[in-house]
Amino acid sequence: MQIKKVGVVGCGQMGAGIVQTCAQSGYEVVASEINEDLLQKGLAGIKKILDKNVEKGKMAKADADATLARIKGTTNMNDFSGCDLVIEAAVEKMPLKKQIFADLDKICPKHAILATNTSCLSIIEIASATKRPSQVVGLHFFNPVPIMKIVEIVRTIATNDETMEASKKFSLSLNKEIVIAKDTPGFLVNLLLIPYLYQAITTLQNGVASREDIDAAIRLGLNHPMGPLTLADFIGLDTVLFIGQAIYEEWKDPRYVPPTLLKQMVISGWYGKKSGKGFYDYK
Ligand code: CAA
């Protein structure tokens, strides 16, 4: 199947990154948001990054303009009617995702693939809201999407070979590497990431070292781009908690029990970078 036109549901941090990446790779993109304000905010963010890339000499002005011209913003889901692939990047709420997929199933052409960027929710459950579960797949991108070099492709028990092949070809066309994972909570990356982040938070909670030293130990000792506490702030502490809880619910594995400190911070509204306060201050 030839993918020419891509839809993206949600133009927040992840959605906007996916929109930009697809448009930069030559796809016509329909980007939707629930209202005009959020849509304009998402599109303005993409323009800002492209302008910066032009300023830095990383991109020609004509390429940035052509990228923007390939993006059509909308608040009307019916505009997905001509898409070959729609990637949902809405908030992590199962009832909402099921509603979006039920709507997409009615609106999109019969051949279209419906993908979710969920980081931990059950993809087969999302697919159950459609009459085409064999064409539903996880396409899990990483933040910042235009920079991160990987897409995790998640196959459910119902996803067919054709959908997998088209998803692989599409992800590679975005200049990303791919990994394939089963539709089990946490898939591959978050299954490995969450215990690591929880250990770092527990280490801070137990007073073993300062936040700066925990981060420096990993950043400089293991050559990671960010230490674990900075990374947790970057992902969002609410998200880090949510993913761990989703995995724990399924496996009851104690490595995914959230540290008390993390729960207390989330209760306090300290979500990390996006709220201005997490393990560090961002104001
Ligand atoms: N959007 C687009 N581009 C961005 C960006 C953003 N939000 N943030 C940074 N960049 C670009 C910068 O413009 C810069 O580009 P140039 O080199 O061309 O100038 C480049 O990234 C490097 O940025 P900086 O020099 O400002 O800073 P840095 O070298 O520290 O890199 C980083 C920033 C790329 C975010 C790097 O710190 C990093 O890779 N961190 C780890 C990120 C990570 O692990 N992400 C995955 C999180 S998990 C997830 O997303 C999934 C989930 O389910 C939880």
Side-chain angles (χ1 to χ4, degrees), residues 49 56 58 119 140 142-144 147-148 190 225-226 231 235:
I49 291 172
K56 285 185 197 161
K58 280 170 59 186
S119 55
H140 185 209
F142 293 83
N143 185 27
I147 303 289
M148 300 301 281
N190 284 327
M226 286 175 166
L231 178 58
I235 293 169

Side-chain angles (χ1 to χ4, degrees), residues 97-140:
K97 290 198 191 272
K98 285 174 94 166
Q99 185 57 58
I100 290 170
F101 273 71
D103 292 344
L104 290 174
D105 193 34
K106 289 188 194 107
I107 292 164
C108 295
K110 273 204 164 62
H111 71 271
I113 292 175
L114 305 182
T116 173
N117 179 55
T118 183
S119 55
C120 61
L121 294 177
S122 161
I123 296 173
I124 192 66
E125 187 174 347
I126 296 171
S128 72
T130 74
K131 293 194 171 69
R132 62 177 96 186
S134 62
Q135 289 162 242
V136 176
V137 68
L139 288 181
H140 185 209

Side-chain angles (χ1 to χ4, degrees), residues 122-180:
S122 161
I123 296 173
I124 192 66
E125 187 174 347
I126 296 171
S128 72
T130 74
K131 293 194 171 69
R132 62 177 96 186
S134 62
Q135 289 162 242
V136 176
V137 68
L139 288 181
H140 185 209
F141 290 81
F142 293 83
N143 185 27
V145 179
I147 303 289
M148 300 301 281
K149 283 271 160 237
I150 201 161
V151 177
E152 188 172 33
I153 302 180
V154 186
R155 181 172 200 160
T156 76
I157 53 166
T159 312
N160 65 23
D161 289 344
E162 199 191 349
T163 300
M164 285 304 290
E165 284 317 306
S167 300
K168 286 182 202 169
K169 205 170 147 197
F170 170 73
S171 303
L172 292 172
S173 78
L174 302 180
N175 203 18
K176 306 285 187 201
E177 303 276 330
I178 51 175
V179 288
I180 315 280

Side-chain angles (χ1 to χ4, degrees), residues 203-225:
T203 301
L204 179 71
Q205 182 182 282
N206 292 348
V208 174
S210 68
R211 61 184 184 181
E212 289 82 5
D213 283 0
I214 292 168
D215 275 350
I218 296 295
R219 199 163 32 79
L220 304 175
L222 299 178
N223 227 3
H224 287 205

Side-chain angles (χ1 to χ4, degrees), residues 1-8 27-30 79-87 107-115 132 135 137 139 163 166-167 170:
M1 190 192 57
Q2 179 88 13
I3 293 171
K4 287 192 182 136
K5 194 166 177 183
V6 179
V8 180
Y27 292 99
E28 293 296 319
V29 186
V30 179
D79 287 339
F80 290 125
S81 63
C83 292
D84 308 300
L85 164 70
V86 179
I87 306 167
I107 292 164
C108 295
K110 273 204 164 62
H111 71 271
I113 292 175
L114 305 182
R132 62 177 96 186
Q135 289 162 242
V137 68
L139 288 181
T163 300
S167 300
F170 170 73

